[in-house]
Amino acid sequence: MKLIYEKSQPGRRASRIPKPDLPPASVPPELARAEPPRLPEVSEPELLRHFTELSTRNFGIDTGFYPLGSCTMKYNPRVNERVVALPGFRDLHPLQEEDAAQGALELMWRLQEILAEVTGLDAVSLQPAAGSQGELTGLLLMRAYFAERGEDERRRRVVIPDTAHGTNPASVTMAGYELVGIATDARGNVDLDDLRGKVDETTAGLMLTNPSTLGLFDENIEEIRDIFHGAGALMYYDGANLNAVCGISRPGDMGFDIVHINLHKTFSQPHGGGGPGGGPIAVRDVLEPYLPVPAIVRDGDRFRFDHDRPKSIGKVRGFAGPFGVFVRSYAFIRSWGPQLREMSEVAVLNANYLLARLREAYELPYDRLCMHEFVLSARRLKREHGVTALDVAKRLMDYGFHPPTIYFPLVVPEALMIEPTETEAKETLDAFAEAMLAIAAEAAEEPEAVRSAPHGRPVGRLDEVKAAKRAVVRYRFEDHPDLAAEPAAAGVEAPKGV
Amino acid sequence: MAAPESYPDDLLYHREHDWARIEDGEAVLGITWYAQDSLGELVHYEPPEAGSTIARDSSYGEVESVKAVSDLISPVSGEVLEVNQKVVDAPETVNLDPYGEGWLVRIRLSDPSETDALLDAATYKQHVTEQ
Amino acid sequence: MSHPYLSLTERDLEEMLATIGVASVEELFRDLPAGMRFGRELDLEPALAEAELVAHFEELASRNADTSRELSFLGAGVYDHYVPAVVDAVLQRGELLTAYTPYQPELSQGVLQAIFEYQTAICELTGMDVSNASGYDGATVAADACYLAKHATGRTRVVVTQATNPQVRQVVKTYAPGFGLEVVEVPHRDGATDAGELRAAAEDAALVLFQHPNFFGCLEPAPDLAAAAADAGALAAAHVDLVSLGVLEAPGEYGCHLALGEGQSAGNHQSYGGPHYGFLAAKEEFTRRMPGRIIGETTDAEGRRGFVLTLQTREQHIRREKATSNITTNQTLLALAGLVHLCWLGPQGLRELGEACMALAAYARERLPVAFPERTPFKELVVRTGRPAREVIRDARAQGIHPGYALGRDYEGMDDALLVAVTERRTPAELDRLVEVLAA
């Protein structure tokens, strides 16, 4: 398929810009653009068709089952798209006077209250733009908290389990902390012996996901809490797996002091091909003074920004945060109400059902009930038939599914992390299970079919070594001096049968 | 495509999977077969500058594959005399010939006695089986 | 357990529990310590049916004075540019809207190619060699640039002009301590920055960041500022407006190492501040230090061209604590909107857009008491009203116009100043109306 640049023809354009009836203003010559940018010249029908064609080469939740572990690929309700497009939200400027933005401020305040209730904590900031930004914000809050107590020079370390998502150690470094890793035991819990030896007066805190990236609820969470709070340290909860426990167990009750929530996971903000997301944080009241500025507060029946926050860590993102994401998440939550608990129950039910159907054919490293996701290993397929988790993932595409997450968490070799979410029907789960079982059988009987997958997609397996070695990261106009003369059908393929 | 597994006897080894060939007060350094096998096909080599000083047991550069980046750990200290430009231009040379064409830097030793702390081929081979 | 977003039936439930081998859903949670169980119902308002939901949101929306209801000259980082219908249409394609990060490229060539096209557009507009697939917003990409510069130069000071957006500066200062960076500001002189002063401040700096057009809407002596940075051995970073780059020179052409900014003006609705997208582009030597995702071109075994996430060893999921950033989820969909808008504009349209903004700004400058009459405005100007700006806003809004952003909170001695934005959606007649209202 051609790039939009390869479809450009001089003289075409999709836009008409109203020209004000005014004399032109000139740009000082030393600042003026010398060469026009080589944006494509296309008409509007060509433009729409190009992006429509691109969309047909993509797979979304709307297309089919998307069990990408740790990402919570649940249905994105369309009513949310309708409400976010209301002009009162869509065309509202962030610096509008507060008394002319009461609807927006009230929505944000209500969302804050909801997130505080769901997490069991006291104060919320909606500002962080994604989970990882929430993590960084949480770590900056830790620093501020200890700085005020004169302990920040001493407390330089943050403890993270080896099953942690890669954002956790990256965030720790960006916040200027040192990382201390801890092991996972045979039950899939944090190894308490390892932990006890590593928590002391130099510890600032813990970053933990519970349930973990293995999809397992840590059975020793109360003891972990006692170890950290006993050492005067704080506990940070990575909310990536919140879909498992809404209304069932609250991170604040587990002992966590700071929580980030992924609005694009638990609360249905569409993932958009990689973003946007939302990473609001909820904190225990001792940490509330340090939250990003401005806070959103209620005064009777009025809502406003509070900029008078002398202890705040500052700002992590412009304005109040990704407002359009709040609209959708708030709409999602309002469609469930207290029934959010059932959302989590069905997420856990769906995951356990798949686990039960797949545990024989694949290896289950931790023999426990899972929560909203579980991890299998394709290690036996690799050892006996030379078929890897990657091969299984590619072959699943031929069956019409998006693969699960692969090679994560790092503690499981040939890992397949499967998270169905609550919005999938039993027949879909059955079809997926049957495909996985068929692939396991193919691995034994005709491994080449699996190893040469996928078939029938616009491309086969791509050469990632080549992409990294001589990285071509933009279209090279310089290699195409006469674009307009290049053949119209270049790059087009007509399939010649199956 | 990669070389068959080997650990030449005439080299000295570091636990972090780097080798050194010592000759007349100089050392040629590189990464072992085990290291290139773990990383996969190399796509990038970030070398030190000629004339810079590198220290034993610390990082003097990086090599990168599609799936990982690895620090190059120096078995010995010294001044960088030459960087292997062939590997800079074609990092996969290391996979094809990790001990020959795939050498990474040549240095002048600042303290030849440091070689006493390095492993011989047999000891290093044992270390690899324990990984 | 019934809800429109669930498919579970009674029969499904029975069969599934039997397969799992438990008697009830409750039993699935048996590993949770008793002390960890939430013992009551969530204290949330009852669930709403879709029609009720829409009514609730319409009520909330009705209490917001948006730009479809009120003539507004608000800018200051977010702008009322026209977003063409085709942008909204593309964003509603479910295959793009509901997909996630393209980790499986064979299923994601749509998003991957679109972002490759976006990266190309950003490089082309800014005169750079590599762009990432987006950052969170114009403020956080400035923090990203600081982190990159620190590791590229080994220096620990960054210099930012005071004429750069206050929120950008505030975000940089929030991130700086964790990065181990000191932030120094260079004051504006009559609405722009003096290159000599900048050079003095930039000694031993890792990065010099200046906004152009700046927060006051004025054009800076950008090539001189870039030269000052380079002279001090610092990286020169220009915080720019995508829609200005049809008439203003690309930063890569006048000595900048980095170009970045808030992308909202290209393709995004105002949406009360977000979600939008930050863009960050650099010269080739910084490719391996770039934060965020980067899409690269390659081929498959049949020689077909395809696109993949590349240089992933920089990113958190591989590099972990040594990553160039912790960013995972970014702003892909909004960046895609930007791409569609830029393609809709084309080079002619982009130039005309810039020219329209400048013509309107020049017209406004002649008719309003501006703070910096010697400076050339792009699409914004600082107007001195002679009265407290907050009062001016109140009075103007009573007549149906929001006259602009009160600068007093951000800049000393500017309590009577308004930052007035004029995009291509404004007309001379509307400007005349503003003049009238302000004169009253």
Side-chain angles (χ1 to χ4, degrees):
Chain A
M1 187 188 157
K2 285 191 156 194
L3 293 169
I4 188 113
Y5 303 97
E6 295 167 327
K7 297 179 179 178
S8 180
Q9 287 291 339
R12 288 189 187 151
R13 58 185 285 186
S15 61
R16 278 189 299 192
I17 308 298
K19 212 173 247 175
D21 187 15
L22 294 173
S26 55
V27 180
E30 70 278 11
L31 300 177
R33 186 124 196 153
E35 290 297 324
R38 287 167 296 195
L39 291 174
E41 295 181 77
V42 291
S43 67
E44 191 168 303
E46 290 294 292
L47 179 66
L48 186 63
R49 191 171 281 166
H50 176 80
F51 286 99
T52 304
E53 189 179 349
L54 281 178
S55 72
T56 65
R57 295 173 155 234
N58 222 64
F59 188 107
I61 299 167
D62 284 1
T63 316
F65 186 47
Y66 206 130
L68 201 62
S70 183
C71 298
T72 314
M73 305 300 290
K74 65 173 72 183
Y75 171 60
N76 301 130
R78 283 313 186 277
V79 65
N80 299 353
E81 299 307 308
R82 179 181 285 189
V83 298
V84 84
L86 290 168
F89 298 129
R90 191 190 71 175
D91 300 330
L92 185 64
H93 191 283
L95 298 170
Q96 175 58 285
E97 299 294 288
E98 285 174 9
D99 62 15
Q102 285 295 296
L105 287 162
E106 180 174 338
L107 189 154
M108 292 192 292
W109 185 86
R110 288 188 182 283
L111 181 59
Q112 289 178 172
E113 294 291 296
I114 289 167
L115 295 178
E117 170 68 359
V118 169
T119 57
L121 288 167
D122 306 308
V124 173
S125 171
L126 300 177
Q127 207 179 95
S132 14
Q133 204 180 44
E135 285 172 26
L136 185 58
T137 307
L139 291 165
L140 295 178
L141 290 177
M142 273 192 203
R143 270 182 84 129
Y145 172 85
F146 288 120
E148 189 164 12
R149 284 150 184 79
E151 293 174 32
D152 61 319
E153 294 297 311
R154 166 161 59 100
R155 293 185 186 270
R156 306 294 322 147
R157 296 141 111 213
V158 173
V159 175
I160 298 188
D162 53 13
T163 52
H165 196 258
T167 57
N168 294 173
S171 303
V172 164
T173 311
M174 285 177 84
Y177 277 117
E178 269 168 55
L179 188 89
V180 175
I182 42 171
T184 300
D185 71 15
R187 287 275 298 166
N189 299 318
V190 160
D191 184 329
L192 283 179
D193 292 325
D194 194 19
L195 183 64
R196 280 190 204 99
K198 293 178 173 172
V199 179
D200 58 26
E201 71 281 354
T202 66
T203 307
L206 166 73
M207 283 184 93
L208 189 72
T209 314
N210 192 31
S212 68
T213 57
L214 294 164
L216 302 171
F217 196 94
D218 200 304
E219 294 164 315
N220 304 314
I221 190 67
E222 288 161 305
E223 225 188 305
I224 294 172
R225 175 194 61 203
D226 294 340
I227 292 171
F228 278 88
H229 286 166
L234 293 171
M235 289 183 37
Y236 180 98
Y237 180 87
D238 179 332
N241 293 335
L242 195 64
N243 208 47
V245 292
C246 284
I248 294 164
S249 185
R250 304 194 305 176
D253 300 335
M254 293 177 209
F256 290 93
D257 305 296
I258 312 172
V259 173
H260 88 255
I261 298 129
N262 298 69
L263 295 180
H264 47 293
K265 296 185 180 183
T266 319
F267 297 120
S268 93
Q269 161 64 35
H271 294 82
I281 48 174
V283 301
R284 210 168 282 292
D285 48 22
V286 285
L287 292 158
E288 194 262 348
Y290 313 107
L291 284 174
V293 65
I296 296 162
V297 299
R298 178 178 196 164
D299 272 335
D301 57 2
R302 284 202 69 252
F303 302 89
R304 62 181 183 83
F305 287 118
D306 179 10
H307 291 272
D308 183 18
R309 314 272 308 168
K311 295 187 180 176
S312 164
I313 57 169
K315 233 172 157 23
V316 295
R317 189 212 176 276
F319 307 108
F323 180 75
V325 176
F326 308 152
V327 175
R328 293 187 184 90
S329 292
Y330 177 63
F332 178 81
I333 293 166
R334 291 305 308 265
S335 83
W336 280 97
Q339 255 188 299
L340 272 180
R341 183 209 167 88
E342 287 173 23
M343 171 191 83
S344 289
E345 286 176 345
V346 178
V348 171
L349 174 73
N350 280 358
N352 276 289
Y353 177 69
L354 273 182
L355 189 164
R357 292 214 51 188
L358 296 174
R359 58 182 298 156
E360 301 306 314
Y362 293 83
E363 231 179 280
L364 183 67
Y366 299 93
D367 187 6
R368 286 173 56 179
L369 288 174
C370 67
M371 298 214 70
H372 66 312
E373 68 191 2
F374 61 100
V375 181
L376 296 173
S377 173
R379 176 165 58 175
R380 198 171 58 218
L381 294 184
K382 181 177 179 186
R383 203 171 42 225
E384 292 171 17
H385 311 292
V387 168
T388 64
L390 182 80
D391 297 324
V392 172
K394 303 301 184 191
R395 186 63 175 146
L396 274 167
M397 296 180 196
D398 292 338
Y399 285 87
F401 301 108
H402 191 286
T405 301
I406 52 175
Y407 298 110
F408 182 77
L410 303 173
V411 296
V412 176
E414 301 299 319
L416 294 152
M417 189 202 287
I418 297 168
E419 181 185 357
T421 85
E422 73 282 4
T423 57
E424 298 299 333
K426 179 172 174 292
E427 304 85 81
T428 306
L429 302 179
D430 286 330
F432 176 75
E434 279 147 37
M436 288 285 285
L437 295 170
I439 294 170
E442 284 176 351
E445 289 148 33
E446 33 163 349
E448 218 17 64
V450 185
R451 284 202 296 259
S452 61
H455 314 97
R457 296 298 312 172
V459 293
R461 296 197 198 184
L462 291 160
D463 188 344
E464 301 197 6
V465 169
K466 178 170 162 181
K469 226 185 255 188
R470 289 167 18 88
V472 175
V473 295
R474 59 178 177 85
Y475 179 69
R476 296 223 194 274
F477 293 98
E478 54 271 33
D479 297 341
H480 300 265
D482 196 8
L483 247 186
E486 292 188 5
V492 168
E493 268 191 19
K496 293 182 172 79
V498 172
Chain B
M1 158 210 173
E5 185 166 10
S6 74
Y7 304 104
D9 288 324
D10 64 325
L11 303 178
L12 293 174
Y13 297 84
H14 188 286
R15 304 201 100 74
E16 292 296 333
H17 313 294
D18 308 80
W19 57 262
R21 178 179 288 116
I22 313 293
E23 224 166 55
D24 298 329
E26 288 181 8
V28 176
L29 308 178
I31 63 172
T32 67
W33 184 93
Y34 176 81
Q36 67 78 33
D37 183 62
S38 309
L39 286 166
E41 186 176 340
L42 295 194
V43 299
H44 185 70
Y45 168 38
E46 194 67 46
E49 281 192 26
S52 62
T53 309
I54 65 183
R56 169 173 72 162
D57 294 333
S58 48
S59 168
Y60 67 89
E62 284 178 358
V63 284
E64 205 183 293
S65 68
V66 168
K67 58 180 184 178
V69 183
S70 191
D71 282 318
L72 300 164
I73 302 299
S74 186
V76 285
S77 314
E79 181 196 335
V80 178
L81 299 172
E82 196 186 344
V83 166
N84 187 354
Q85 190 59 33
K86 179 155 194 205
V87 171
V88 172
D89 296 336
E92 67 274 15
T93 310
V94 174
N95 301 98
L96 293 167
D97 187 8
Y99 305 109
E101 299 268 303
W103 66 272
L104 297 177
V105 290
R106 185 164 61 83
I107 69 169
R108 177 176 301 117
L109 292 174
S110 58
D111 179 4
S113 72
E114 284 178 342
T115 59
D116 297 343
L118 298 177
L119 310 175
D120 64 15
T123 317
Y124 177 72
K125 256 184 263 194
Q126 178 62 28
H127 174 60
V128 164
T129 60
E130 288 158 11
Q131 291 298 292
Chain C
M1 280 191 181
S2 162
H3 187 285
Y5 308 153
L6 295 181
S7 306
L8 192 73
T9 63
E10 281 300 324
R11 188 172 122 178
D12 291 334
L13 179 60
E14 250 178 68
E15 288 176 14
M16 293 168 79
L17 289 173
T19 303
I20 296 167
V22 295
S24 65
V25 167
E26 181 52 38
E27 220 187 302
L28 294 173
F29 295 94
R30 67 187 182 215
D31 283 348
L32 263 69
M36 293 291 106
R37 297 303 301 271
F38 183 59
R40 58 170 172 84
E41 202 183 57
L42 283 169
D43 182 15
L44 299 177
E45 297 192 64
L48 295 176
E50 185 168 320
E52 296 171 315
L53 195 64
V54 171
H56 175 53
F57 278 78
E58 283 173 345
E59 194 282 321
L60 288 169
S62 72
R63 288 186 278 128
N64 299 329
D66 60 85
T67 53
S68 72
R69 288 169 38 181
E70 179 183 77
L71 173 59
S72 172
F73 294 89
L74 275 169
V78 166
Y79 301 91
D80 182 19
H81 286 287
Y82 179 70
V83 178
V86 87
V87 169
D88 295 325
V90 170
L91 260 51
Q92 286 303 312
R93 294 290 301 188
E95 304 93 323
L96 300 174
L97 179 69
T98 68
Y100 197 21
T101 307
Y103 289 122
Q104 296 291 352
E106 302 87 345
L107 287 180
S108 321
Q109 287 300 296
V111 165
L112 286 163
Q113 181 173 329
I115 295 301
F116 183 82
E117 293 176 358
Y118 161 83
Q119 289 170 187
T120 303
I122 297 296
C123 287
E124 189 54 24
L125 290 171
T126 60
M128 295 292 167
D129 303 312
V130 56
S131 161
N132 70 11
S134 72
Y136 302 130
D137 70 349
T140 52
V141 289
D144 288 336
C146 294
Y147 198 61
L148 184 162
K150 176 190 174 177
H151 291 289
T153 65
R155 296 176 171 187
T156 57
R157 162 189 298 188
V158 298
V159 175
V160 186
T161 64
Q162 196 197 32
T164 294
N165 186 314
Q167 290 200 43
V168 170
R169 289 183 281 132
Q170 196 176 10
V171 167
V172 165
K173 286 183 203 159
T174 302
Y175 279 86
F179 293 173
L181 290 172
E182 175 205 354
V183 182
V184 168
E185 285 189 1
V186 175
H188 76 93
R189 298 291 170 215
D190 208 34
T193 308
D194 177 80
E197 253 185 281
L198 188 76
R199 171 62 187 89
E203 202 57 47
D204 292 326
L207 181 90
V208 167
L209 177 68
F210 62 90
Q211 184 178 338
H212 170 63
N214 64 28
F215 185 66
F216 303 128
C218 303
L219 300 185
E220 290 271 11
D224 297 336
L225 300 183
D231 195 58
L235 301 189
H239 198 281
V240 292
D241 182 351
L242 289 176
V243 302
S244 72
L245 294 172
V247 296
L248 295 184
E249 187 57 287
E253 296 297 312
Y254 57 79
C256 289
H257 304 88
L258 302 173
L260 57 152
E262 170 55 63
Q264 180 269 328
S265 289
N268 296 173
H269 298 283
Q270 295 167 90
S271 191
Y272 206 52
H276 298 139
Y277 63 104
F279 61 91
L280 176 63
K283 291 291 182 183
E284 183 170 9
E285 63 193 284
F286 303 104
T287 302
R288 287 189 139 73
R289 299 206 183 275
M290 284 292 277
R293 297 194 195 114
I294 297 181
I295 310 304
E297 183 185 310
T298 186
T299 49
D300 69 4
E302 316 283 316
R304 288 177 291 199
R305 178 175 65 186
F307 301 93
V308 287
L309 289 170
T310 193
L311 303 175
Q312 291 185 75
T313 52
R314 297 161 303 114
E315 295 189 68
Q316 50 77 27
H317 59 286
I318 292 175
R319 202 98 212 254
R320 296 173 72 90
E321 63 270 19
K322 291 192 179 168
T324 52
S325 165
N326 68 349
I327 190 169
T328 318
T329 296
N330 57 13
Q331 305 293 118
T332 296
L333 195 68
L334 289 312
L336 176 58
L339 171 69
V340 175
H341 190 192
L342 290 168
C343 293
W344 181 83
L345 285 168
Q348 296 285 76
L350 184 65
R351 186 172 52 75
E352 287 172 17
L353 177 50
E355 288 171 347
C357 290
M358 290 192 74
L360 287 158
Y363 183 75
R365 184 174 64 165
E366 283 155 40
R367 281 160 182 72
L368 290 166
V370 294
F372 312 119
E374 303 307 307
R375 304 286 178 199
T376 310
F378 175 66
K379 69 189 192 196
E380 259 175 314
L381 347 79
V382 177
V383 172
R384 304 215 78 135
T385 65
R387 302 200 283 134
R390 307 229 56 90
E391 280 175 30
V392 175
I393 293 171
R394 187 196 59 213
D395 295 343
R397 290 200 63 241
Q399 300 180 69
I401 297 187
H402 194 308
Y405 176 64
L407 282 169
R409 190 198 298 156
D410 301 313
Y411 294 91
E412 285 261 347
M414 288 197 130
D415 288 340
D416 73 319
L418 285 172
L419 186 59
V420 176
V422 284
T423 69
E424 84 290 2
R425 298 192 81 178
R426 301 288 74 83
T427 65
E430 287 173 344
L431 277 170
D432 292 339
R433 178 109 181 77
L434 175 68
V435 172
E436 230 180 86
V437 163
L438 290 181

